[in-house]
Amino acid sequence: MEMFISKNEKNDYASDKYINVNSCGCRHNFDYTIIRKNGRLDYHLLYICSGKCRAQYDGIEYLLTPGDFIIYYPGQTQMYSFDNDNGCDTMWIHFSGTATAEILEGLKLHAGVFRCRSDEKIYAVFKELVQEHQAEPYIQQSAENVLLIYLLTIISRITRNIDNRRKVTDIENVIMAMSNSFDEPYDINKYAKICSLSPSRFSHKFKQVMGKAPLKYFINIKLKRAKEFLKFSDLSISEIAERVGYDNPLYFSRTFKKAFCISPTEYRNKEKGRE
């Protein structure tokens, strides 16, 4: 999987204008992960057109499907990845400005994940905004600003009409519990209790919602944490294995290689070489 860890992106800044489009676009993503550990200086809206995206917000991982979107405010950690089956089409905007916070507050578009629906008007305005952004400098700025505010207004209306803004579900509570105890053994009884279900019913429901069995999802959380330790720390492989709940470093290495087709040491060397 390709991984982009942002460092000094040239379009990352806080504009002193009323509102400003720093960058925007449409993209087909395939087997790709983006990590902005310290977030950005501007606001970020990511809208899912097709496929699936797994995005983390406030310690919880969400599965985003067509019509859903996520908004990150300045300084918030950004981490999201795209499925490697059929890819994922997205539209995105990075924007800033002195009135941005007030505009978003008025539209009830706070930071977080929103459950929405696909809508042709959103697509049309988004594409027009991208075209304006690619036009001649200084000519398009007024049009960009109008289109951005109009786009945010449309998204807000559709989201409020379906009355389905992000709500924490029992499965999301389970994912939070998994994320907070990734160094502990898998405990299906504990997670089933959070959902007030039997272990078998819990496993069935979790797989329906998240697309994979809870144990497999839990192991994936462990291995993702291991990747972060390998990338951002100088801990030994044995120490990292212990940090993510593996008593046997060799078993940890085999599990890591089976999941990512690369050993922990090879992964660390590869990532360190990119710095």
Side-chain angles (χ1 to χ4, degrees):
M1 174 180 283
E2 290 292 326
M3 184 176 296
F4 170 73
I5 301 177
S6 70
K7 294 181 180 179
N8 302 319
E9 296 175 81
K10 64 180 182 180
N11 56 20
D12 182 16
Y13 59 92
S15 174
D16 58 2
K17 297 176 182 177
Y18 176 78
I19 192 166
N20 185 76
V21 178
N22 292 6
S23 63
C24 62
C26 306
R27 177 170 179 168
H28 179 72
N29 309 274
F30 184 81
D31 200 18
Y32 192 71
T33 295
I34 289 181
I35 300 174
R36 297 185 175 98
K37 190 175 181 181
N38 299 314
R40 286 176 54 107
L41 298 174
D42 54 13
Y43 297 79
H44 179 28
L45 187 152
L46 179 70
Y47 183 89
I48 310 305
C49 301
S50 68
K52 297 177 182 178
C53 170
R54 297 187 184 276
Q56 290 193 19
Y57 178 78
D58 198 23
I60 303 175
E61 183 174 287
Y62 298 89
L63 178 64
L64 277 61
T65 55
D68 295 343
F69 62 96
I70 185 167
I71 297 177
Y72 292 108
Y73 272 32
Q76 292 184 322
T77 298
Q78 301 179 15
M79 185 180 298
Y80 47 91
S81 59
F82 305 102
D83 280 3
N84 58 1
D85 294 330
N86 299 310
C88 176
D89 291 310
T90 59
M91 298 186 293
W92 50 269
I93 318 171
H94 295 295
F95 56 104
S96 59
T98 59
T100 302
E102 181 181 352
I103 291 171
L104 292 174
E105 177 66 25
L107 294 172
K108 307 300 183 186
L109 291 176
H110 305 291
V113 173
F114 291 77
R115 301 301 183 188
C116 195
R117 67 165 186 262
S118 300
D119 189 273
E120 289 300 324
K121 184 176 285 188
I122 292 177
Y123 296 153
V125 177
F126 223 125
K127 289 177 181 178
E128 189 173 354
L129 175 58
V130 172
Q131 290 173 357
E132 286 292 343
H133 189 70
Q134 295 171 346
E136 290 295 324
Y138 309 113
I139 296 176
Q140 82 281 15
Q141 289 183 358
S142 294
E144 278 186 9
N145 295 343
V146 171
L147 287 168
L148 173 56
I149 295 173
Y150 184 41
L151 175 63
L152 294 173
T153 302
I154 294 170
I155 290 174
S156 174
R157 284 176 178 168
I158 294 174
T159 304
R160 280 186 289 171
N161 285 342
I162 64 174
D163 193 27
N164 194 29
R165 193 173 164 270
R166 183 179 70 86
K167 298 176 182 177
V168 177
T169 66
D170 51 2
I171 294 298
E172 289 169 347
N173 280 326
V174 168
I175 293 170
M176 182 181 290
M178 287 180 172
S179 298
N180 290 335
S181 59
F182 63 87
D183 57 340
E184 300 174 4
Y186 175 73
D187 187 347
I188 189 171
N189 293 316
K190 169 185 172 182
Y191 303 133
K193 187 176 180 180
I194 293 174
C195 299
S196 300
L197 295 171
S198 67
S200 60
R201 285 292 301 153
F202 160 70
S203 294
H204 179 73
K205 180 177 180 179
F206 190 99
K207 189 169 184 178
Q208 274 189 321
V209 174
M210 300 306 300
K212 62 178 64 175
L215 176 57
K216 187 173 182 180
Y217 193 95
F218 182 66
I219 292 172
N220 195 44
I221 289 176
K222 285 178 172 285
L223 297 180
K224 284 185 176 180
R225 294 295 185 273
K227 275 187 168 184
E228 293 173 11
F229 285 127
L230 290 165
K231 173 64 178 177
F232 298 111
S233 80
D234 294 320
L235 295 171
S236 68
I237 303 300
S238 295
E239 289 172 323
I240 292 173
E242 185 178 357
R243 289 282 184 96
V244 297
Y246 287 90
D247 296 328
N248 188 329
L250 292 178
Y251 180 69
F252 161 71
S253 294
R254 286 198 297 268
T255 303
F256 188 97
K257 187 168 185 177
K258 182 178 180 180
F260 304 120
C261 299
I262 188 172
S263 73
T265 300
E266 291 170 335
Y267 176 81
R268 166 172 274 172
N269 292 338
K270 178 183 176 183
E271 293 301 312
K272 293 293 186 184
R274 293 182 178 182
E275 296 182 350

